[in-house]
Amino acid sequence: VMQGFKRFTLWRAGRRGAKSSFAIYKQGKYAVTHPNTVNWYVAQDTSLLEDEIIPRAIAQWGELIPPNGYSKARKCITFINGSKWFFKSANSNNSLRGRGLHSLVCEEAVFWQNGHSTFHDTLRPQLADFNGWCLIISSPPSKKCPRGAEWFRRLENMYMEEINGGTDDYAVYHSTIYDNPHIEVAEIE
């Protein structure tokens, strides 16, 4: 995924596939190497952000966050170079409107309540201001989320059509838990 990253990258990977780790690294690196950018990490709910994503982002990029550089109330990291990294819930559509984005990560997108409209109507247009990039990561669709599975499959198919048509801005990847070199096969089975 790292070598083939495109402006619009969709990565469907099994549990423990290192999707979040890659997303935190990729977006954090972008924010610290591109001053004064606005970057959003959007997940299906606030608890995932507060319990897992934000602490991992702070642990990984803490040396580049000044004192008082994290606002818990706003769920925003401000780096020493002026870049801002906001962490937002996909379930709060009204708080997702407004500003232009330089980068966007959509975490576990298949599980978003109103994924299609949240992405296409609200988030995707905000990338136009700065020709921003988007990484959409998710576990494979399951029977537990039939509505989410449909929009996610349509998005993946649309990206594949763009790739097959010769458009260079799109990439689609698929991996399973077996592709994770840090988990023993015996543990999986």
Side-chain angles (χ1 to χ4, degrees):
V1 176
M2 184 70 86
Q3 284 76 26
F5 194 81
K6 302 288 185 174
R7 181 169 179 227
F8 297 99
T9 300
L10 184 144
W11 182 17
R12 180 171 39 95
R15 294 184 53 137
R16 315 308 328 146
K19 302 177 299 288
S20 299
S21 296
F22 174 75
I24 292 166
Y25 170 78
K26 180 70 178 169
Q27 194 169 42
K29 182 169 176 130
Y30 180 83
V32 302
T33 58
H34 294 80
N36 302 308
T37 57
V38 177
N39 310 279
W40 280 10
Y41 196 112
V42 181
Q44 76 267 27
D45 60 48
T46 304
S47 62
L48 175 67
L49 293 168
E50 292 175 345
D51 298 342
E52 185 178 339
I53 303 301
I54 295 170
R56 289 170 61 189
I58 291 171
Q60 185 164 359
W61 299 102
E63 67 210 31
L64 299 171
I65 302 170
N68 301 320
Y70 173 63
S71 168
K72 186 174 182 176
R74 294 178 63 211
K75 293 179 187 54
C76 177
I77 294 172
T78 302
F79 290 103
I80 57 176
N81 70 355
S83 287
K84 295 190 180 304
W85 196 1
F86 291 89
F87 300 85
K88 305 245 181 199
S89 169
N91 294 334
S92 180
N93 229 2
N94 287 337
S95 71
L96 297 176
R97 296 191 180 276
R99 52 177 75 213
L101 303 176
H102 295 87
S103 75
L104 171 65
V105 169
C106 301
E107 165 91 19
E108 291 296 3
V110 77
F111 298 102
W112 291 7
Q113 288 178 2
N114 298 304
H116 179 83
S117 66
T118 299
F119 180 75
H120 291 286
D121 300 337
T122 306
L123 294 172
R124 169 61 183 92
Q126 293 176 85
L127 295 168
D129 295 1
F130 303 108
N131 203 31
W133 59 263
C134 178
L135 171 62
I136 302 168
I137 57 176
S138 194
S139 302
S142 70
K143 293 176 184 173
K144 294 178 186 174
C145 57
R147 241 183 344 156
E150 185 56 35
W151 93 266
F152 193 80
R153 282 189 194 103
R154 283 197 319 259
L155 183 66
E156 185 173 353
N157 290 338
M158 183 188 89
Y159 281 20
M160 290 304 299
E161 287 175 15
E162 293 289 342
I163 293 165
N164 293 335
T167 304
D168 195 41
D169 280 350
Y170 296 85
V172 173
Y173 297 96
H174 174 252
S175 59
T176 70
I177 193 169
Y178 294 97
D179 297 314
N180 186 335
H182 305 291
I183 298 178
E184 296 180 24
V185 174
E187 186 67 26
I188 298 168
E189 297 171 355

